[in-house]
Amino acid sequence: MASTDDKVILKSSEGECFEVDMAVASHLQIVKSVLEDCEGSSDKVVSLFIVEAKYVAMIIEYYKNYVELKEKHEEGGFEEKLKEFEKQFLEQIDKKELKGLVMAVNYLNAPALFDVVCTAIAKHIENKSVEYVREYFGIVNDFTAEEEAQIREEHRWAYDGVNDD
Amino acid sequence: MNTELPNEIIYTHILPRLPAKSLIRFGCVSKYWNEVIHDPSFDRLRKRTHVLITSWSVVGDESKIHFVSVPVREDATLEPPVHLFSLPIDKHYILQSLNGLLCIHRANLLYPYLGDKPVYIFNPSTRELVTVPVDGSLRSETSHVSYYFGFSPCSNEFKVLGLRRCFTMEFEPTSIYCEIYTLGSGSWRRINVPVPFDPDELIYYTDPICFNGALHWMRESQNSIVAFDVGDECFREFQNPDGYPNPVYLRYLLVVDGHLAMVNGNHLYDENVMDIWVLQDYGKWLWVKDHISFPFDWTKSDRPIPISTIHTGELLLTPSFSSLSVLFYDMTRKSFRKIEISELPEHIFPTGKRITSFEENNMKLRA
């Protein structure tokens, strides 16, 4: 049983608190450096000012499983098990939330999950239409109708087989 | 928290993970996206491999080569085949796949010289084609000409090397001319370098492989490897490693896991073992012998031969015969996966089929 010394409290932007094992929280570089800065202090609360509670919960869930799987499959097979978990982890996240999650992960500086979420976003838009992608990322089309038509004409085949569902 | 992603995340972490086709489509999302995607320094994180099937057909008088790509997914399964393009060439075509580009031409190795057929350079990721007309001025003197496609990482240039063998008066030595076409330059130029072999020898040779900025050929008669440096435009010759046996059956060069390698099929018939000599250190010319042990009778199956290492780290092996099944070989675990390629697109039949691979590259062929 881990002692309370091995725990840290992460505080979301709404002020919600999450008690987390150090082994899990140490995967978040920002938490690690904050704790190193106030070493010796008994106060182990880290405020994640801009991260909403729902993203804090997702990130904790990911790294909790990451740490557990790593321990359990020390002898090998960790990567396969992690891939399986990542698949079901991503399935429960709304596609729009992936954007909020990647920003939260970027802020917390957690490389493994950052890679996973970027790949998931790329996978999500891979077969989408241009219109969908503009809307998804909030990008304003600054081509004139003629310019856009000309670009589309050059590579008509690239616009086949899109699926926005 | 505002949920619009910072541009830095989109441009450097999400777009580089997309396949070539999506990137081309997203070139019309906005002007800035178009610029980012087509910038020469735009670096793809995951360069997907495609299995490439070329097949030949004749309709009426017209002979065509069809190019069909089968994208290999991230999880190493295959997507359905897509017909990319067809070119008006007959079945005697030569195809080289190099850094995502294909170089195709009509084989001109045998007399009589059929003359002046163009060399095609095709980017299968963007489906852009460049037709390179060949120099017709020496047509009547030419006995044959062969073309080789190379890339120099130093100058970042693709070049076609033409070796033209010309007739001379009886008893006089044959003249061999070296011609170079740099992709994007628009013209051929002749270079004056000694060619250390008669290109006639190459008739019996397998295709060269471009590695480390040089084209490499196996020169069996001399037990050596000849290299043409694509950047410096000169030839060099190296001896085969000690103990490399003169191949009796199968021999060719390929790149395995980032190293130049030589296949030797001396033990295929009796032991189902393919020897692969891998050049571990190019500078020291240090070769290490490895092998693939087939868990089946190699001669009685499709006679699969290794082609290239793909993005999963596995070695792709393609059948020598008519079958459309490919093998992926995990070199560490020494295990095979066999995948059948599903039906080819309509009107394409596996006549005169060859299977190779290419890695996606969004490079524009025309400046």
Side-chain angles (χ1 to χ4, degrees), chain A residues 50 99 102-103 115 119 122 125-126 128 133-134 137 139 142-143 155 157-160 162, chain B residues 1-2 4-6 17-18 21-22 24-26 28-31 33 46 48 125-127:
Chain A
I50 62 163
K99 292 188 292 175
V102 81
M103 286 198 302
D115 207 58
T119 305
I125 62 168
E126 183 179 306
K128 295 286 188 275
V133 168
R134 281 183 193 137
F137 291 117
I139 291 162
D142 52 358
F143 284 116
H155 298 287
W157 57 271
Y159 299 85
D160 291 344
V162 296
Chain B
M1 193 150 137
N2 175 10
E4 291 318 333
L5 282 186
R17 288 179 158 83
L18 289 171
K21 184 181 173 184
S22 312
I24 287 166
R25 181 166 67 248
F26 297 155
C28 83
V29 164
S30 75
K31 285 184 180 166
W33 274 49
R46 302 227 158 92
R48 207 188 270 210
S125 305
T126 61
R127 304 197 193 179

mmCIF file of all heavy atoms in Angstrom, chain A residues 50 99 102-103 115 119 122 125-126 128 133-134 137 139 142-143 155 157-160 162, chain B residues 1-2 4-6 17-18 21-22 24-26 28-31 33 46 48 125-127:
data_model
loop_
_atom_site.group_PDB
_atom_site.id
_atom_site.type_symbol
_atom_site.label_atom_id
_atom_site.label_comp_id
_atom_site.label_asym_id
_atom_site.label_seq_id
_atom_site.Cartn_x
_atom_site.Cartn_y
_atom_site.Cartn_z
ATOM 1 N N ILE A 50 -5.341 25.779 -16.544
ATOM 2 C CA ILE A 50 -6.164 25.878 -17.751
ATOM 3 C C ILE A 50 -6.769 24.541 -18.170
ATOM 4 O O ILE A 50 -7.374 24.434 -19.223
ATOM 5 C CB ILE A 50 -5.359 26.475 -18.932
ATOM 6 C CG1 ILE A 50 -4.179 25.575 -19.300
ATOM 7 C CG2 ILE A 50 -4.861 27.883 -18.601
ATOM 8 C CD1 ILE A 50 -3.617 25.886 -20.663
ATOM 9 N N LYS A 99 -9.522 17.395 -29.492
ATOM 10 C CA LYS A 99 -8.789 18.665 -29.630
ATOM 11 C C LYS A 99 -8.475 19.260 -28.257
ATOM 12 O O LYS A 99 -7.357 19.709 -28.016
ATOM 13 C CB LYS A 99 -9.623 19.662 -30.441
ATOM 14 C CG LYS A 99 -9.786 19.259 -31.882
ATOM 15 C CD LYS A 99 -10.451 20.362 -32.683
ATOM 16 C CE LYS A 99 -11.902 20.545 -32.264
ATOM 17 N NZ LYS A 99 -12.551 21.678 -32.936
ATOM 18 N N VAL A 102 -5.772 17.106 -26.629
ATOM 19 C CA VAL A 102 -4.397 17.257 -27.120
ATOM 20 C C VAL A 102 -3.788 18.551 -26.585
ATOM 21 O O VAL A 102 -2.596 18.611 -26.265
ATOM 22 C CB VAL A 102 -4.311 17.162 -28.671
ATOM 23 C CG1 VAL A 102 -4.664 18.458 -29.370
ATOM 24 C CG2 VAL A 102 -2.922 16.712 -29.079
ATOM 25 N N MET A 103 -4.623 19.595 -26.436
ATOM 26 C CA MET A 103 -4.087 20.847 -25.886
ATOM 27 C C MET A 103 -3.720 20.684 -24.415
ATOM 28 O O MET A 103 -2.696 21.204 -23.968
ATOM 29 C CB MET A 103 -5.092 21.973 -26.085
ATOM 30 C CG MET A 103 -5.106 22.371 -27.542
ATOM 31 S SD MET A 103 -5.820 23.947 -27.912
ATOM 32 C CE MET A 103 -7.406 23.895 -27.334
ATOM 33 N N ASP A 115 1.462 11.830 -28.426
ATOM 34 C CA ASP A 115 1.630 11.069 -29.650
ATOM 35 C C ASP A 115 0.359 10.295 -30.003
ATOM 36 O O ASP A 115 -0.089 10.286 -31.145
ATOM 37 C CB ASP A 115 2.782 10.085 -29.415
ATOM 38 C CG ASP A 115 3.473 9.725 -30.691
ATOM 39 O OD1 ASP A 115 3.953 10.652 -31.353
ATOM 40 O OD2 ASP A 115 3.500 8.521 -31.014
ATOM 41 N N THR A 119 -2.048 11.129 -33.278
ATOM 42 C CA THR A 119 -2.295 10.062 -34.239
ATOM 43 C C THR A 119 -3.797 9.830 -34.394
ATOM 44 O O THR A 119 -4.296 9.628 -35.508
ATOM 45 C CB THR A 119 -1.582 8.768 -33.804
ATOM 46 O OG1 THR A 119 -0.209 9.072 -33.628
ATOM 47 C CG2 THR A 119 -1.733 7.663 -34.832
ATOM 48 N N ALA A 122 -5.278 12.593 -36.530
ATOM 49 C CA ALA A 122 -4.905 12.372 -37.933
ATOM 50 C C ALA A 122 -5.767 11.254 -38.528
ATOM 51 O O ALA A 122 -6.301 11.376 -39.631
ATOM 52 C CB ALA A 122 -3.422 12.029 -38.041
ATOM 53 N N ILE A 125 -9.362 12.486 -39.270
ATOM 54 C CA ILE A 125 -9.611 13.370 -40.424
ATOM 55 C C ILE A 125 -9.130 12.779 -41.743
ATOM 56 O O ILE A 125 -9.473 13.278 -42.808
ATOM 57 C CB ILE A 125 -8.972 14.772 -40.234
ATOM 58 C CG1 ILE A 125 -7.441 14.684 -40.113
ATOM 59 C CG2 ILE A 125 -9.579 15.489 -39.033
ATOM 60 C CD1 ILE A 125 -6.751 16.033 -40.210
ATOM 61 N N GLU A 126 -8.368 11.686 -41.664
ATOM 62 C CA GLU A 126 -7.734 11.092 -42.853
ATOM 63 C C GLU A 126 -8.677 10.981 -44.065
ATOM 64 O O GLU A 126 -8.317 11.352 -45.171
ATOM 65 C CB GLU A 126 -7.194 9.717 -42.449
ATOM 66 C CG GLU A 126 -6.461 8.982 -43.518
ATOM 67 C CD GLU A 126 -5.946 7.625 -43.014
ATOM 68 O OE1 GLU A 126 -5.248 7.607 -41.984
ATOM 69 O OE2 GLU A 126 -6.244 6.602 -43.644
ATOM 70 N N LYS A 128 -11.716 12.414 -44.341
ATOM 71 C CA LYS A 128 -12.780 13.415 -44.298
ATOM 72 C C LYS A 128 -12.661 14.403 -45.463
ATOM 73 O O LYS A 128 -11.611 14.541 -46.077
ATOM 74 C CB LYS A 128 -12.706 14.177 -42.968
ATOM 75 C CG LYS A 128 -12.979 13.298 -41.757
ATOM 76 C CD LYS A 128 -14.455 12.967 -41.644
ATOM 77 C CE LYS A 128 -14.785 12.253 -40.356
ATOM 78 N NZ LYS A 128 -14.580 10.787 -40.439
ATOM 79 N N VAL A 133 -12.929 19.239 -42.501
ATOM 80 C CA VAL A 133 -11.670 19.592 -41.838
ATOM 81 C C VAL A 133 -11.645 21.073 -41.477
ATOM 82 O O VAL A 133 -11.212 21.454 -40.389
ATOM 83 C CB VAL A 133 -10.475 19.192 -42.741
ATOM 84 C CG1 VAL A 133 -9.169 19.793 -42.241
ATOM 85 C CG2 VAL A 133 -10.363 17.670 -42.798
ATOM 86 N N ARG A 134 -12.156 21.909 -42.382
ATOM 87 C CA ARG A 134 -12.228 23.350 -42.068
ATOM 88 C C ARG A 134 -13.066 23.568 -40.823
ATOM 89 O O ARG A 134 -12.695 24.321 -39.933
ATOM 90 C CB ARG A 134 -12.876 24.103 -43.235
ATOM 91 C CG ARG A 134 -11.939 24.363 -44.377
ATOM 92 C CD ARG A 134 -12.672 25.170 -45.443
ATOM 93 N NE ARG A 134 -11.929 25.179 -46.686
ATOM 94 C CZ ARG A 134 -12.479 25.011 -47.884
ATOM 95 N NH1 ARG A 134 -13.783 24.819 -48.002
ATOM 96 N NH2 ARG A 134 -11.722 25.051 -48.959
ATOM 97 N N PHE A 137 -11.347 22.187 -37.484
ATOM 98 C CA PHE A 137 -10.269 23.005 -36.919
ATOM 99 C C PHE A 137 -10.618 24.487 -36.853
ATOM 100 O O PHE A 137 -9.792 25.299 -36.435
ATOM 101 C CB PHE A 137 -8.983 22.828 -37.735
ATOM 102 C CG PHE A 137 -8.359 21.463 -37.601
ATOM 103 C CD1 PHE A 137 -8.248 20.628 -38.698
ATOM 104 C CD2 PHE A 137 -7.868 21.021 -36.386
ATOM 105 C CE1 PHE A 137 -7.673 19.363 -38.582
ATOM 106 C CE2 PHE A 137 -7.283 19.762 -36.265
ATOM 107 C CZ PHE A 137 -7.190 18.936 -37.358
ATOM 108 N N ILE A 139 -11.145 26.604 -39.469
ATOM 109 C CA ILE A 139 -10.292 27.325 -40.422
ATOM 110 C C ILE A 139 -11.149 28.027 -41.470
ATOM 111 O O ILE A 139 -12.092 27.437 -42.017
ATOM 112 C CB ILE A 139 -9.299 26.349 -41.096
ATOM 113 C CG1 ILE A 139 -8.299 25.899 -40.036
ATOM 114 C CG2 ILE A 139 -8.572 27.002 -42.261
ATOM 115 C CD1 ILE A 139 -7.556 24.671 -40.415
ATOM 116 N N ASP A 142 -9.764 30.872 -47.385
ATOM 117 C CA ASP A 142 -9.427 32.163 -47.990
ATOM 118 C C ASP A 142 -9.151 32.049 -49.489
ATOM 119 O O ASP A 142 -8.600 32.961 -50.095
ATOM 120 C CB ASP A 142 -8.243 32.814 -47.252
ATOM 121 C CG ASP A 142 -7.041 31.893 -47.123
ATOM 122 O OD1 ASP A 142 -7.128 30.723 -47.581
ATOM 123 O OD2 ASP A 142 -6.027 32.314 -46.558
ATOM 124 N N PHE A 143 -9.521 30.918 -50.093
ATOM 125 C CA PHE A 143 -9.413 30.797 -51.552
ATOM 126 C C PHE A 143 -10.672 31.385 -52.190
ATOM 127 O O PHE A 143 -11.765 31.285 -51.623
ATOM 128 C CB PHE A 143 -9.345 29.322 -51.967
ATOM 129 C CG PHE A 143 -8.012 28.672 -51.730
ATOM 130 C CD1 PHE A 143 -7.893 27.620 -50.832
ATOM 131 C CD2 PHE A 143 -6.888 29.089 -52.415
ATOM 132 C CE1 PHE A 143 -6.665 27.003 -50.610
ATOM 133 C CE2 PHE A 143 -5.660 28.477 -52.206
ATOM 134 C CZ PHE A 143 -5.548 27.429 -51.302
ATOM 135 N N HIS A 155 -6.080 17.546 -58.916
ATOM 136 C CA HIS A 155 -5.969 16.211 -58.305
ATOM 137 C C HIS A 155 -7.349 15.679 -57.992
ATOM 138 O O HIS A 155 -7.663 15.427 -56.830
ATOM 139 C CB HIS A 155 -5.156 16.270 -57.008
ATOM 140 C CG HIS A 155 -3.747 16.712 -57.199
ATOM 141 N ND1 HIS A 155 -2.802 15.913 -57.772
ATOM 142 C CD2 HIS A 155 -3.122 17.873 -56.914
ATOM 143 C CE1 HIS A 155 -1.648 16.550 -57.817
ATOM 144 N NE2 HIS A 155 -1.817 17.749 -57.310
ATOM 145 N N TRP A 157 -8.748 12.883 -58.280
ATOM 146 C CA TRP A 157 -8.782 11.566 -57.641
ATOM 147 C C TRP A 157 -8.651 11.655 -56.126
ATOM 148 O O TRP A 157 -9.146 10.793 -55.406
ATOM 149 C CB TRP A 157 -7.681 10.672 -58.213
ATOM 150 C CG TRP A 157 -6.320 11.274 -58.074
ATOM 151 C CD1 TRP A 157 -5.697 12.105 -58.958
ATOM 152 C CD2 TRP A 157 -5.416 11.143 -56.974
ATOM 153 N NE1 TRP A 157 -4.473 12.490 -58.477
ATOM 154 C CE2 TRP A 157 -4.277 11.912 -57.272
ATOM 155 C CE3 TRP A 157 -5.460 10.446 -55.769
ATOM 156 C CZ2 TRP A 157 -3.187 11.998 -56.406
ATOM 157 C CZ3 TRP A 157 -4.369 10.535 -54.910
ATOM 158 C CH2 TRP A 157 -3.258 11.308 -55.232
ATOM 159 N N ALA A 158 -8.001 12.714 -55.642
ATOM 160 C CA ALA A 158 -7.766 12.806 -54.190
ATOM 161 C C ALA A 158 -9.053 13.122 -53.435
ATOM 162 O O ALA A 158 -9.107 13.026 -52.211
ATOM 163 C CB ALA A 158 -6.701 13.857 -53.893
ATOM 164 N N TYR A 159 -10.102 13.545 -54.173
ATOM 165 C CA TYR A 159 -11.372 13.907 -53.531
ATOM 166 C C TYR A 159 -12.375 12.759 -53.552
ATOM 167 O O TYR A 159 -13.483 12.884 -53.051
ATOM 168 C CB TYR A 159 -11.948 15.183 -54.181
ATOM 169 C CG TYR A 159 -10.996 16.346 -54.008
ATOM 170 C CD1 TYR A 159 -9.953 16.550 -54.901
ATOM 171 C CD2 TYR A 159 -11.085 17.179 -52.901
ATOM 172 C CE1 TYR A 159 -9.033 17.573 -54.723
ATOM 173 C CE2 TYR A 159 -10.174 18.211 -52.705
ATOM 174 C CZ TYR A 159 -9.150 18.400 -53.617
ATOM 175 O OH TYR A 159 -8.236 19.402 -53.420
ATOM 176 N N ASP A 160 -11.976 11.640 -54.139
ATOM 177 C CA ASP A 160 -12.851 10.446 -54.154
ATOM 178 C C ASP A 160 -12.769 9.729 -52.813
ATOM 179 O O ASP A 160 -11.730 9.740 -52.167
ATOM 180 C CB ASP A 160 -12.373 9.444 -55.224
ATOM 181 C CG ASP A 160 -12.599 9.995 -56.609
ATOM 182 O OD1 ASP A 160 -13.377 10.962 -56.746
ATOM 183 O OD2 ASP A 160 -11.975 9.463 -57.545
ATOM 184 N N VAL A 162 -14.259 10.103 -49.907
ATOM 185 C CA VAL A 162 -14.298 10.726 -48.585
ATOM 186 C C VAL A 162 -15.583 10.318 -47.870
ATOM 187 O O VAL A 162 -16.578 9.976 -48.502
ATOM 188 C CB VAL A 162 -14.208 12.283 -48.639
ATOM 189 C CG1 VAL A 162 -12.881 12.707 -49.200
ATOM 190 C CG2 VAL A 162 -15.357 12.879 -49.412
ATOM 191 N N MET B 1 -11.370 26.663 -21.556
ATOM 192 C CA MET B 1 -10.251 26.573 -22.503
ATOM 193 C C MET B 1 -10.787 26.665 -23.936
ATOM 194 O O MET B 1 -11.728 25.979 -24.310
ATOM 195 C CB MET B 1 -9.567 25.206 -22.305
ATOM 196 C CG MET B 1 -8.254 25.084 -22.952
ATOM 197 S SD MET B 1 -7.291 23.937 -21.940
ATOM 198 C CE MET B 1 -6.524 22.940 -23.117
ATOM 199 N N ASN B 2 -10.207 27.549 -24.690
ATOM 200 C CA ASN B 2 -10.574 27.685 -26.104
ATOM 201 C C ASN B 2 -10.210 26.391 -26.837
ATOM 202 O O ASN B 2 -9.119 25.881 -26.669
ATOM 203 C CB ASN B 2 -9.788 28.889 -26.655
ATOM 204 C CG ASN B 2 -9.983 29.062 -28.136
ATOM 205 O OD1 ASN B 2 -10.838 28.403 -28.726
ATOM 206 N ND2 ASN B 2 -9.208 29.937 -28.729
ATOM 207 N N GLU B 4 -9.864 25.820 -30.108
ATOM 208 C CA GLU B 4 -9.197 25.857 -31.416
ATOM 209 C C GLU B 4 -7.725 25.502 -31.205
ATOM 210 O O GLU B 4 -7.032 26.095 -30.388
ATOM 211 C CB GLU B 4 -9.343 27.233 -32.071
ATOM 212 C CG GLU B 4 -10.771 27.570 -32.511
ATOM 213 C CD GLU B 4 -11.535 26.422 -33.173
ATOM 214 O OE1 GLU B 4 -10.891 25.532 -33.776
ATOM 215 O OE2 GLU B 4 -12.759 26.402 -33.082
ATOM 216 N N LEU B 5 -7.281 24.509 -31.956
ATOM 217 C CA LEU B 5 -5.912 24.026 -31.759
ATOM 218 C C LEU B 5 -4.892 25.049 -32.223
ATOM 219 O O LEU B 5 -5.076 25.689 -33.258
ATOM 220 C CB LEU B 5 -5.697 22.755 -32.585
ATOM 221 C CG LEU B 5 -6.266 21.471 -32.035
ATOM 222 C CD1 LEU B 5 -5.825 20.317 -32.919
ATOM 223 C CD2 LEU B 5 -5.772 21.248 -30.623
ATOM 224 N N PRO B 6 -3.793 25.208 -31.508
ATOM 225 C CA PRO B 6 -2.722 26.076 -31.994
ATOM 226 C C PRO B 6 -2.172 25.529 -33.312
ATOM 227 O O PRO B 6 -2.083 24.302 -33.488
ATOM 228 C CB PRO B 6 -1.658 25.993 -30.902
ATOM 229 C CG PRO B 6 -2.280 25.291 -29.751
ATOM 230 C CD PRO B 6 -3.486 24.563 -30.234
ATOM 231 N N ARG B 17 1.271 13.289 -39.974
ATOM 232 C CA ARG B 17 0.850 11.895 -39.748
ATOM 233 C C ARG B 17 -0.159 11.433 -40.783
ATOM 234 O O ARG B 17 -0.662 10.310 -40.696
ATOM 235 C CB ARG B 17 0.234 11.764 -38.355
ATOM 236 C CG ARG B 17 1.247 11.844 -37.227
ATOM 237 C CD ARG B 17 0.537 11.731 -35.887
ATOM 238 N NE ARG B 17 1.420 11.301 -34.833
ATOM 239 C CZ ARG B 17 2.227 12.105 -34.139
ATOM 240 N NH1 ARG B 17 2.258 13.381 -34.414
ATOM 241 N NH2 ARG B 17 3.004 11.619 -33.186
ATOM 242 N N LEU B 18 -0.499 12.297 -41.735
ATOM 243 C CA LEU B 18 -1.522 11.921 -42.723
ATOM 244 C C LEU B 18 -0.918 11.234 -43.933
ATOM 245 O O LEU B 18 0.209 11.527 -44.320
ATOM 246 C CB LEU B 18 -2.266 13.184 -43.177
ATOM 247 C CG LEU B 18 -3.203 13.815 -42.159
ATOM 248 C CD1 LEU B 18 -3.688 15.162 -42.653
ATOM 249 C CD2 LEU B 18 -4.386 12.896 -41.867
ATOM 250 N N LYS B 21 -2.549 10.931 -49.916
ATOM 251 C CA LYS B 21 -3.799 11.302 -50.576
ATOM 252 C C LYS B 21 -4.559 12.361 -49.766
ATOM 253 O O LYS B 21 -5.080 13.331 -50.326
ATOM 254 C CB LYS B 21 -4.672 10.052 -50.774
ATOM 255 C CG LYS B 21 -5.947 10.335 -51.537
ATOM 256 C CD LYS B 21 -6.791 9.085 -51.704
ATOM 257 C CE LYS B 21 -8.141 9.440 -52.320
ATOM 258 N NZ LYS B 21 -9.033 8.296 -52.410
ATOM 259 N N SER B 22 -4.623 12.192 -48.448
ATOM 260 C CA SER B 22 -5.311 13.175 -47.609
ATOM 261 C C SER B 22 -4.619 14.528 -47.694
ATOM 262 O O SER B 22 -5.269 15.569 -47.770
ATOM 263 C CB SER B 22 -5.331 12.724 -46.152
ATOM 264 O OG SER B 22 -5.749 11.396 -46.043
ATOM 265 N N ILE B 24 -2.894 15.775 -50.127
ATOM 266 C CA ILE B 24 -3.165 16.441 -51.400
ATOM 267 C C ILE B 24 -4.555 17.070 -51.369
ATOM 268 O O ILE B 24 -4.744 18.210 -51.778
ATOM 269 C CB ILE B 24 -2.994 15.444 -52.557
ATOM 270 C CG1 ILE B 24 -1.507 15.174 -52.746
ATOM 271 C CG2 ILE B 24 -3.607 15.968 -53.849
ATOM 272 C CD1 ILE B 24 -1.199 14.014 -53.595
ATOM 273 N N ARG B 25 -5.522 16.332 -50.818
ATOM 274 C CA ARG B 25 -6.884 16.866 -50.721
ATOM 275 C C ARG B 25 -6.916 18.111 -49.827
ATOM 276 O O ARG B 25 -7.547 19.100 -50.170
ATOM 277 C CB ARG B 25 -7.819 15.783 -50.174
ATOM 278 C CG ARG B 25 -9.259 16.241 -50.052
ATOM 279 C CD ARG B 25 -10.198 15.068 -49.849
ATOM 280 N NE ARG B 25 -10.014 14.405 -48.570
ATOM 281 C CZ ARG B 25 -9.537 13.180 -48.392
ATOM 282 N NH1 ARG B 25 -9.164 12.462 -49.434
ATOM 283 N NH2 ARG B 25 -9.404 12.667 -47.196
ATOM 284 N N PHE B 26 -6.202 18.077 -48.715
ATOM 285 C CA PHE B 26 -6.273 19.186 -47.766
ATOM 286 C C PHE B 26 -5.467 20.406 -48.212
ATOM 287 O O PHE B 26 -5.450 21.425 -47.538
ATOM 288 C CB PHE B 26 -5.851 18.724 -46.363
ATOM 289 C CG PHE B 26 -6.760 17.665 -45.790
ATOM 290 C CD1 PHE B 26 -6.315 16.774 -44.822
ATOM 291 C CD2 PHE B 26 -8.079 17.558 -46.238
ATOM 292 C CE1 PHE B 26 -7.156 15.801 -44.311
ATOM 293 C CE2 PHE B 26 -8.923 16.575 -45.732
ATOM 294 C CZ PHE B 26 -8.461 15.689 -44.770
ATOM 295 N N CYS B 28 -6.460 22.220 -50.338
ATOM 296 C CA CYS B 28 -7.417 23.298 -50.613
ATOM 297 C C CYS B 28 -8.228 23.695 -49.381
ATOM 298 O O CYS B 28 -9.225 24.393 -49.502
ATOM 299 C CB CYS B 28 -8.251 23.009 -51.860
ATOM 300 S SG CYS B 28 -9.647 21.971 -51.652
ATOM 301 N N VAL B 29 -7.758 23.329 -48.181
ATOM 302 C CA VAL B 29 -8.415 23.799 -46.948
ATOM 303 C C VAL B 29 -8.251 25.326 -46.831
ATOM 304 O O VAL B 29 -9.214 26.053 -46.631
ATOM 305 C CB VAL B 29 -7.841 23.072 -45.714
ATOM 306 C CG1 VAL B 29 -8.204 23.792 -44.424
ATOM 307 C CG2 VAL B 29 -8.365 21.638 -45.667
ATOM 308 N N SER B 30 -7.017 25.801 -46.990
ATOM 309 C CA SER B 30 -6.767 27.250 -46.954
ATOM 310 C C SER B 30 -5.422 27.505 -47.628
ATOM 311 O O SER B 30 -4.656 26.569 -47.874
ATOM 312 C CB SER B 30 -6.722 27.766 -45.515
ATOM 313 O OG SER B 30 -5.503 27.382 -44.913
ATOM 314 N N LYS B 31 -5.141 28.786 -47.889
ATOM 315 C CA LYS B 31 -3.876 29.119 -48.561
ATOM 316 C C LYS B 31 -2.680 28.676 -47.714
ATOM 317 O O LYS B 31 -1.709 28.154 -48.221
ATOM 318 C CB LYS B 31 -3.802 30.625 -48.821
ATOM 319 C CG LYS B 31 -4.694 31.049 -49.961
ATOM 320 C CD LYS B 31 -4.556 32.514 -50.272
ATOM 321 C CE LYS B 31 -5.496 32.853 -51.430
ATOM 322 N NZ LYS B 31 -5.675 34.290 -51.602
ATOM 323 N N TRP B 33 -2.523 26.288 -45.405
ATOM 324 C CA TRP B 33 -2.386 24.814 -45.417
ATOM 325 C C TRP B 33 -1.715 24.376 -46.704
ATOM 326 O O TRP B 33 -0.848 23.502 -46.713
ATOM 327 C CB TRP B 33 -3.770 24.136 -45.300
ATOM 328 C CG TRP B 33 -4.240 23.949 -43.896
ATOM 329 C CD1 TRP B 33 -4.255 24.896 -42.919
ATOM 330 C CD2 TRP B 33 -4.766 22.743 -43.321
ATOM 331 N NE1 TRP B 33 -4.765 24.359 -41.766
ATOM 332 C CE2 TRP B 33 -5.097 23.041 -41.979
ATOM 333 C CE3 TRP B 33 -5.010 21.455 -43.803
ATOM 334 C CZ2 TRP B 33 -5.638 22.096 -41.105
ATOM 335 C CZ3 TRP B 33 -5.558 20.510 -42.942
ATOM 336 C CH2 TRP B 33 -5.858 20.832 -41.609
ATOM 337 N N ARG B 46 5.111 9.700 -40.761
ATOM 338 C CA ARG B 46 4.895 8.291 -41.084
ATOM 339 C C ARG B 46 4.796 8.171 -42.582
ATOM 340 O O ARG B 46 3.790 8.543 -43.168
ATOM 341 C CB ARG B 46 3.584 7.818 -40.462
ATOM 342 C CG ARG B 46 3.571 7.999 -38.974
ATOM 343 C CD ARG B 46 3.090 6.762 -38.247
ATOM 344 N NE ARG B 46 3.570 6.803 -36.875
ATOM 345 C CZ ARG B 46 2.871 7.332 -35.868
ATOM 346 N NH1 ARG B 46 1.680 7.796 -36.078
ATOM 347 N NH2 ARG B 46 3.378 7.358 -34.663
ATOM 348 N N ARG B 48 4.093 6.080 -45.381
ATOM 349 C CA ARG B 48 3.445 4.809 -45.587
ATOM 350 C C ARG B 48 4.031 4.076 -46.796
ATOM 351 O O ARG B 48 4.396 4.703 -47.785
ATOM 352 C CB ARG B 48 1.986 5.112 -45.873
ATOM 353 C CG ARG B 48 1.050 4.011 -45.489
ATOM 354 C CD ARG B 48 -0.296 4.349 -45.993
ATOM 355 N NE ARG B 48 -1.044 5.105 -45.003
ATOM 356 C CZ ARG B 48 -2.377 5.020 -44.941
ATOM 357 N NH1 ARG B 48 -3.037 4.273 -45.793
ATOM 358 N NH2 ARG B 48 -3.020 5.703 -44.042
ATOM 359 N N SER B 125 2.407 8.883 -55.465
ATOM 360 C CA SER B 125 1.673 9.494 -54.347
ATOM 361 C C SER B 125 0.856 10.691 -54.807
ATOM 362 O O SER B 125 -0.205 10.965 -54.274
ATOM 363 C CB SER B 125 2.637 9.959 -53.253
ATOM 364 O OG SER B 125 3.446 8.896 -52.843
ATOM 365 N N THR B 126 1.386 11.437 -55.790
ATOM 366 C CA THR B 126 0.673 12.621 -56.275
ATOM 367 C C THR B 126 0.103 12.376 -57.676
ATOM 368 O O THR B 126 -0.603 13.211 -58.209
ATOM 369 C CB THR B 126 1.625 13.827 -56.359
ATOM 370 O OG1 THR B 126 2.663 13.491 -57.273
ATOM 371 C CG2 THR B 126 2.243 14.154 -55.008
ATOM 372 N N ARG B 127 0.473 11.229 -58.261
ATOM 373 C CA ARG B 127 0.111 10.836 -59.626
ATOM 374 C C ARG B 127 0.601 11.843 -60.668
ATOM 375 O O ARG B 127 -0.021 12.051 -61.697
ATOM 376 C CB ARG B 127 -1.403 10.639 -59.759
ATOM 377 C CG ARG B 127 -1.919 9.628 -58.734
ATOM 378 C CD ARG B 127 -3.275 9.118 -59.078
ATOM 379 N NE ARG B 127 -3.848 8.414 -57.935
ATOM 380 C CZ ARG B 127 -5.039 7.864 -57.930
ATOM 381 N NH1 ARG B 127 -5.790 7.919 -59.011
ATOM 382 N NH2 ARG B 127 -5.493 7.243 -56.867
#
